[in-house]
């Protein structure tokens, strides 16, 4: 099935044709009459550089403008259109030092209305509003001191314009310098440039959902009659969402095929090292760990390239699985790199693996940014010579000086912390490298599909057996005294405690101040027992404090969110999170994962500021009711307060114009299945529907994908 994707470079008349069809849509906004370079620059602030972008700029609201047959039938503050006769002009007046604006009195035979203008040069109004003539005016109707008035009408024109000024208008988000009316007009003109595109959806799908054509759908969205027309579940919106997600799925599948046929290499381990380590471990692997290990090894042994994700909650035991896979590569004669997002984590992985590596004489190295140059040179040398088998490190691994003798396998911890480019750079340090990413941020299946397509995933659902559940409680900050009493008791028992201070509006220095404050209060209460770590500390200081906490010479570790990922202190059993309402579910879940790693009972205390808003309240309830990361991820998807989606912001989720990952889940599944069916029928998109789908791909900027295909 995969062989079909070999690219054949050939001139392709059809591609030329499809790009021609789309060219009106892809032409710059200046193609619209009245849009010059100045307006174009403003439109760019709205993300609009082409006609298509304008059509993609969706209204978020509607405004109803009514024709009122008589002035007195209009309601204050209502947007109305009136037919009136111009009675007379009242020029500027200075009255007690105040400037009275220019006014034009109009009437409908029964009542009169004043049009108000704040303009230094009212001459044009004389021509626009000729005394004695009948005109159509439209704007917001005001009642002021018992008088009817309209300030700066949106419209003044001949009677023939009446029909244009009643009905429903779309309301768009604006940028400074562009008025609503102007933007409405520009977007309306964009329609006149909009070509009829051949239908790319099957008649089956169109019928199943009773959808209009692409052009009709997009037009409808911009000409709403009622608020429901802007609803995410309106058929027109759904059709466009489906178009978008179908193009996304087609492109993901095509790209994935491309990656799979790109040559990988078979790493054959003989399990000799693995067996030794497995025997020496003080525990046996869980069923999930065994299954994940098998899945990963199967990929590594196959000749195609592995790109796999290992998903498992904090503490589910990903590290040992990854290490066993590394041994597989080492057995096969290759070097391995593990890329960690922070120095603390790199060190921690190094420490953990060091013990295991010793058992089997695997040579392990650590490379972080702040190494002395002598140490660094030695590591560069050893990597190039192949005397280091496994290198653990931070971004430092990506620098050009790092060369490997024979790199065959990369493990990336918390992959969402790294950009695509960084991952790519590392994988360029060897040929056809197998990649395993690990994440403790569970991604709901639908988002997974939309983001990565069918990226192979292995899951660790169960926790290692001896784990006790974590007890989670919530308490308002006003009950701090009780917290301190509890803390005293816990310290007396010998517990170790994390105290996490809140994020303050993304400002590191404010965070720090809050953490320092908390540190001094606690220090005063419990002298010699409190430590503080935060992002600004030098790594040695941070390391020393961490070490003191691990050894137990300090018992309370006050921290900003630097402890968020992966830190492992087995006997820490309490975590207190201050202003928990300010954290997202993903963060809370990760933070809570710092505890419950040993065999003692653990407690998570979420301190919140009363009163809670409903979303924050639900978040804390979710935290109280479950510790299952996958469940929490699903709940988060449902709540999605303030645009925050569990881990997705960072995991490279593409942004969509029409598709909404929550409202359109069913469409995503449908599109995923349809894309698979389409490509298995017509792998090169050269059949009749295939060709129109090429247009769809280009329309949604997935044209790049087409280079993987044989020409039509
Ligand atoms: P993760 O990286 O998924 O957060 P770790 O790999 O750090 O989790 O594992 C947490 C702890 O659990 C480690 O001390 C590890 O040695 C231990 N562990 C891993 N697998 C098991 C198992 N099957 N049984 C008992 N303990 C385990
Ligand atoms: Mg980990």
């Amino acid at each position: 099935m995969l062989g079909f994707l070999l690219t054949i470079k050939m001139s392709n008349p059809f591609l030329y044709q499809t790009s021609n069809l789309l060219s009106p849509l892809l032409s710059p906004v200046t193609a619209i009459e009245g849009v010059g370079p100045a307006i174009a620059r403003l439109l760019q602030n709205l993300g609009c550089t082409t006609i298509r972008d304008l059509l993609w700029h969706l209204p978020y609201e509607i405004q109803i403008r009514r024709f009122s047959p008589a002035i007195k039938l209009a309601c204050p503050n209502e947007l109305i259109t009136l037919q009136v006769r111009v009675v007379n002009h009242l020029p500027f007046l200075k009255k007690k030092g105040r400037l009275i604006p220019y006014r034009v009195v109009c009437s409908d035979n029964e009542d009169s209305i004043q049009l108000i203008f704040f303009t230094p040069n009212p001459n044009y109004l004389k021509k626009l509003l000729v005394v004695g003539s009948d005109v159509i005016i439209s704007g917001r109707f005001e009642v002021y001191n018992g008088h009817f008035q309209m300030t700066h009408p949106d419209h003044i024109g001949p009677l023939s314009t009446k029909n244009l000024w009643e009905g429903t208008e779309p309301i768009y988000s604006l940028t400074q310098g562009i008025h609503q009316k102007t933007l409405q007009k520009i977007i309306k003109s964009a329609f006149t440039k909009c070509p009829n595109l051949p239908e790319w959806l099957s008649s089956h799908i169109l019928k199943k959902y009773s959808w209009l054509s692409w052009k009709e759908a997009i037009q409808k969205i911009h000409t709403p009659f009622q608020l429901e027309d802007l609803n995410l579940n309106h058929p027109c919106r759904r059709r466009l969402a489906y178009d978008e997600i179908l193009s996304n799925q087609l492109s993901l599948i095509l790209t994935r095929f491309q990656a799979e046929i790109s040559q990988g290499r078979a790493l054959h381990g003989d399990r000799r090292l693995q067996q030794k380590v497995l025997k020496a471990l003080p525990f046996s692997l869980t069923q999930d760990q065994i299954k994940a290990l098998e899945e990963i090894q199967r990929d590594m042994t196959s000749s195609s390239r592995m790109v796999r994700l290992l998903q498992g909650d904090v503490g589910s035991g990903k590290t040992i699985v990854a290490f066993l896979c590394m041994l597989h590569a080492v057995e096969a004669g290759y070097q391995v790199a593990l890329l960690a997002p922070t120095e603390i984590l790199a060190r921690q992985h190094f420490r953990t693996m060091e013990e295991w590596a010793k058992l089997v004489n695997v040579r392990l190295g650590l490379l972080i940014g702040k190494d002395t140059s002598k140490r660094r040179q030695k590591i560069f040398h050893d990597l190039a010579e192949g005397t280091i088998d496994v290198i653990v490190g931070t971004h430092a691994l990506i620098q050009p000086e790092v060369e490997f003798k024979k790199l065959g396998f990369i493990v990336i911890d918390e992959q969402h912390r790294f950009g695509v480019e960084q991952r790519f750079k590392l994988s360029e340090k060897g040929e056809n490298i197998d990649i395993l990413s690990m994440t403790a941020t569970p991604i709901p299946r639908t988002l997974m599909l939309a983001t990565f397509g069918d990226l192979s995933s292995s899951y660790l659902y169960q926790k290692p057996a001896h784990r006790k559940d974590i007890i989670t409680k919530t308490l308002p900050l006003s009950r701090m005294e009780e917290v301190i009493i509890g803390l005293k008791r816990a310290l007396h028992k010998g517990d170790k405690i994390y105290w996490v201070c809140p994020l303050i509006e993304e400002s590191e220095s404010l965070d720090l101040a809050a953490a320092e404050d908390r540190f001094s209060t606690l220090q005063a209460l419990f002298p010699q027992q409190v430590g503080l770590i935060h992002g600004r500390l030098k790594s040695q200081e941070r390391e020393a404090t961490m070490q003191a906490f691990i050894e137990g010479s300090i018992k309370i570790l006050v921290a900003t969110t630097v402890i968020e990922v992966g830190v492992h202190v087995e006997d820490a059993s309490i975590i207190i999170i201050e202003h928990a309402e300010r954290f997202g579910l993903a963060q809370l879940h990760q933070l809570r994962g710092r505890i419950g790693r040993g065999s003692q009972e653990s407690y998570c205390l979420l301190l919140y500021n009363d009163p809670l808003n409903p979303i924050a309240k639900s978040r804390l309830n979710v935290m109280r009711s479950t510790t299952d990361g996958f469940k929490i991820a699903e709940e988060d998807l449902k709540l999605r307060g303030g645009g925050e989606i569990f881990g997705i912001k960072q995991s490279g989720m593409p942004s969509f114009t029409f598709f909404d990952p929550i409202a359109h889940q069913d469409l995503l599944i449908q599109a995923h299945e349809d894309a698979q069916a389409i490509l298995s029928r017509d792998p090169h998109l050269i059949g009749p529907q295939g060709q129109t789908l090429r247009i769809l791909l280009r329309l949604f900027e997935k044209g790049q994908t087409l280079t993987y295909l044989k020409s039509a």
Side-chain angles (χ1 to χ4, degrees):
M1 161 99 171
L2 298 180
F4 67 78
L5 277 158
L6 297 175
T7 315
I8 297 175
K9 295 246 175 330
M10 226 167 67
S11 74
N12 185 339
F14 184 76
L15 293 189
Y16 176 70
Q17 204 186 315
T18 58
S19 47
N20 250 2
L21 268 176
L22 286 179
S23 62
L25 281 172
L26 302 180
S27 39
V29 291
T30 45
I32 291 173
E33 218 179 300
V35 177
I39 295 188
R41 260 192 307 278
L42 295 176
L43 289 173
Q44 210 160 12
N45 296 340
L46 297 172
C48 300
T49 50
T50 64
I51 304 282
R52 185 217 26 224
D53 300 338
L54 286 172
L55 300 181
W56 268 207
H57 192 67
L58 305 180
Y60 65 92
E61 172 72 285
I62 60 165
Q63 201 164 53
I64 294 169
R65 195 182 288 268
R66 193 169 62 86
F67 180 81
S68 178
I71 295 173
K72 66 163 178 268
L73 294 177
C75 308
N77 250 335
E78 191 189 11
L79 265 188
I80 50 151
T81 300
L82 292 167
Q83 177 176 337
V84 290
R85 176 160 297 164
V86 182
V87 179
N88 64 343
H89 286 233
L90 305 174
F92 291 117
L93 268 182
K94 270 228 170 112
K95 209 175 180 181
K96 292 184 200 154
R98 266 184 62 227
L99 193 67
I100 306 285
Y102 194 91
R103 286 156 301 154
V104 179
V105 181
C106 302
S107 105
D108 65 355
N109 291 333
E110 284 188 44
D111 299 284
S112 64
I113 180 169
Q114 293 195 356
L115 311 185
I116 316 276
F117 298 91
F118 298 89
T119 169
N121 190 0
N123 284 340
Y124 75 101
L125 292 170
K126 299 236 161 71
K127 279 184 227 147
L128 200 57
L129 293 157
V130 178
V131 173
S133 66
D134 291 318
V135 291
I136 296 294
I137 57 169
S138 185
R140 201 163 290 282
F141 183 75
E142 297 155 13
V143 182
Y144 182 76
N145 276 348
H147 297 294
F148 301 133
Q149 64 177 47
M150 189 180 280
T151 312
H152 286 265
D154 298 326
H155 172 74
I156 298 168
L159 299 186
S160 60
T161 57
K162 170 182 170 243
N163 289 341
L164 303 175
W165 290 87
E166 59 177 325
T168 309
E169 296 161 26
I171 299 299
Y172 300 99
S173 60
L174 297 174
T175 181
Q176 193 159 28
I178 294 195
H179 291 294
Q180 192 59 249
K181 270 283 151 216
T182 317
L183 189 59
Q184 285 172 357
K185 230 157 100 190
I186 292 173
I187 292 178
K188 234 180 212 157
S189 317
F191 282 120
T192 61
K193 310 265 174 205
C194 184
N196 282 311
L197 297 176
E199 184 56 71
W200 46 74
L201 298 188
S202 67
S203 49
H204 164 72
I205 286 283
L206 287 175
K207 224 180 267 148
K208 173 168 172 185
Y209 294 108
S210 321
W211 281 340
L212 298 174
S213 74
W214 171 79
K215 187 174 170 179
E216 287 164 327
I218 189 95
Q219 229 150 3
K220 187 101 203 221
I221 280 198
H222 287 282
T223 48
F225 283 120
Q226 46 188 359
L227 203 52
E228 280 91 272
D229 292 347
L230 299 184
N231 195 297
L232 287 171
N233 287 318
H234 190 278
C236 289
R237 176 62 183 263
R238 278 171 59 84
R239 142 124 221 187
L240 296 165
Y242 177 84
D243 282 345
E244 184 168 43
I245 202 72
L246 181 65
S247 78
N248 156 283
Q249 290 299 304
L250 286 169
S251 139
L252 281 171
I253 296 174
L254 289 168
T255 311
R256 166 126 186 271
F257 284 165
Q258 183 65 17
E260 281 183 1
I261 57 160
S262 69
Q263 274 242 299
R265 95 177 11 141
L267 300 179
H268 293 288
D270 56 13
R271 311 233 163 171
R272 131 189 82 89
L273 304 176
Q274 275 191 359
Q275 290 305 337
K276 247 192 188 158
V277 169
L278 280 172
K279 266 199 206 113
L281 284 181
F283 51 79
S284 45
L285 298 184
T286 63
Q287 283 310 310
D288 285 347
Q289 284 173 317
I290 293 169
K291 181 156 173 271
L293 186 61
E294 277 168 5
E295 287 166 350
I296 299 164
Q297 277 179 168
R298 202 186 316 124
D299 280 4
M300 291 174 83
T301 315
S302 95
S303 63
S304 53
R305 187 168 185 180
M306 172 171 84
V307 182
R308 186 175 272 276
L309 189 61
L310 176 58
Q311 292 197 61
D313 244 331
V314 206
S316 59
K318 295 184 291 295
T319 318
I320 183 67
V321 173
F323 185 73
L324 293 168
C325 298
M326 293 179 188
L327 291 183
H328 181 94
V330 174
E331 287 166 9
Y334 286 90
Q335 287 172 294
V336 179
L338 185 151
L339 179 63
T342 64
E343 244 171 75
I344 291 189
L345 275 177
R347 282 177 198 279
Q348 187 178 296
H349 280 308
F350 180 78
R351 264 197 306 259
T352 314
M353 294 184 179
E354 205 175 21
E355 284 173 37
W356 298 330
K358 265 190 215 136
L359 297 169
V360 281
N361 292 323
V362 161
R363 293 155 301 185
L364 196 65
L366 175 69
L367 181 68
I368 50 178
K370 284 157 197 148
D371 278 321
T372 61
S373 92
K374 211 165 130 209
R375 236 186 74 82
R376 197 161 43 214
Q377 291 308 325
K378 171 99 171 73
I379 288 178
F380 290 166
H381 175 266
D382 290 352
L383 282 174
E385 290 290 307
T387 45
I388 289 180
D389 299 307
V390 176
I391 183 79
V392 178
T394 55
H395 298 78
L397 287 174
I398 295 165
Q399 56 192 307
E401 292 89 338
V402 177
E403 283 172 25
F404 290 84
K405 182 156 187 243
K406 209 177 172 194
L407 180 63
F409 180 44
I410 299 176
V411 179
I412 302 176
D413 193 17
E414 301 298 336
Q415 64 139 8
H416 58 274
R417 295 277 178 124
F418 297 98
V420 178
E421 190 156 325
Q422 289 169 312
R423 283 180 260 166
F424 178 75
K425 275 196 185 140
L426 186 57
S427 66
E428 285 290 282
K429 292 187 186 289
E431 268 173 57
N432 313 319
I433 295 177
D434 281 345
I435 300 176
L436 178 69
S437 301
M438 302 196 284
T439 177
T441 308
I443 308 171
R445 178 175 144 73
T446 44
L447 290 178
M448 184 76 192
L449 257 184
T451 312
F452 306 109
D454 268 338
L455 179 71
S456 326
S457 260
S458 298
Y459 296 92
L460 303 182
Y461 293 108
Q462 324 157 301
K463 293 263 169 92
H466 63 269
R467 292 285 155 71
K468 288 236 173 73
D469 250 354
I470 300 170
I471 298 162
T472 301
K473 297 226 159 97
T474 53
L475 206 66
L477 277 161
S478 54
R479 288 167 65 181
M480 186 59 89
E481 266 168 44
E482 291 167 49
V483 178
I484 299 295
I485 293 169
L487 207 55
K488 261 185 206 147
R489 216 179 304 128
L491 283 172
H492 196 69
K493 266 180 30 210
D495 288 332
K496 281 186 191 169
I497 298 133
Y498 290 107
W499 189 299
V500 181
C501 294
L503 275 170
I504 300 173
E505 318 216 331
E506 323 248 302
S507 147
E508 209 186 330
S509 54
L510 286 178
D511 275 11
L512 197 54
E516 273 166 349
D517 273 0
R518 181 55 65 205
F519 171 69
S520 18
T521 4
L522 289 173
Q523 177 84 314
L525 288 166
F526 309 107
Q528 311 299 323
Q529 302 197 67
V530 192
L532 171 68
I533 58 168
H534 53 76
R536 294 256 180 103
L537 281 185
K538 291 217 184 72
S539 80
Q540 281 109 320
E541 292 175 76
R542 216 187 304 166
E543 185 71 7
T545 308
M546 218 45 226
Q547 201 54 41
F549 187 58
I550 290 169
E551 284 162 7
S553 54
I554 55 171
K555 299 283 196 196
I556 303 177
L557 186 65
V558 178
T560 53
T561 44
V562 288
I563 61 155
E564 188 186 324
V565 196
V567 171
H568 190 76
V569 179
E570 190 142 314
D571 57 353
S573 56
I574 296 178
I575 190 164
I576 297 171
I577 303 176
E578 216 176 309
H579 280 291
E581 78 280 359
R582 297 189 189 161
F583 292 91
L585 269 177
Q587 262 179 324
L588 290 174
H589 178 62
Q590 291 245 3
L591 286 169
R592 185 169 58 181
R594 302 301 115 225
I595 55 165
R597 300 184 146 227
S599 46
Q600 73 273 48
E601 197 111 276
S602 298
Y603 295 90
C604 170
L605 183 56
L606 304 172
L607 298 177
Y608 62 88
N609 196 20
D610 237 356
L612 281 173
N613 72 42
I615 295 223
K617 196 172 202 166
S618 322
R619 275 205 296 257
L620 298 189
N621 280 341
V622 171
M623 287 301 292
R624 248 199 333 235
S625 65
T626 180
T627 50
D628 179 335
F630 292 94
K631 255 193 220 144
I632 293 178
E634 297 290 347
E635 288 298 324
D636 192 43
L637 187 57
K638 281 187 215 144
L639 289 175
R640 198 171 58 148
E644 182 216 356
I645 306 182
F646 203 92
I648 286 303
K649 243 194 303 196
Q650 297 154 311
S651 69
M653 170 90 168
S655 59
F656 294 100
T657 306
F658 304 103
F659 172 72
D660 179 280
I662 296 159
H664 302 141
Q665 289 196 37
D666 63 319
L667 293 180
L668 172 58
I669 307 290
Q670 172 89 49
H672 178 68
E673 284 165 9
D674 293 347
Q676 279 177 323
I678 289 166
L679 287 172
S680 66
R681 258 194 332 263
D682 181 11
H684 283 280
L685 299 180
I686 46 186
Q689 192 196 2
Q691 301 206 16
T692 52
L693 284 165
R694 285 174 176 239
I695 303 176
L696 173 71
L697 285 165
R698 284 171 186 278
L699 183 62
F700 282 100
E701 287 174 328
K702 304 276 191 278
Q704 183 55 32
T705 318
L706 294 174
T707 55
Y708 303 144
L709 300 178
K710 205 158 70 178
S711 313

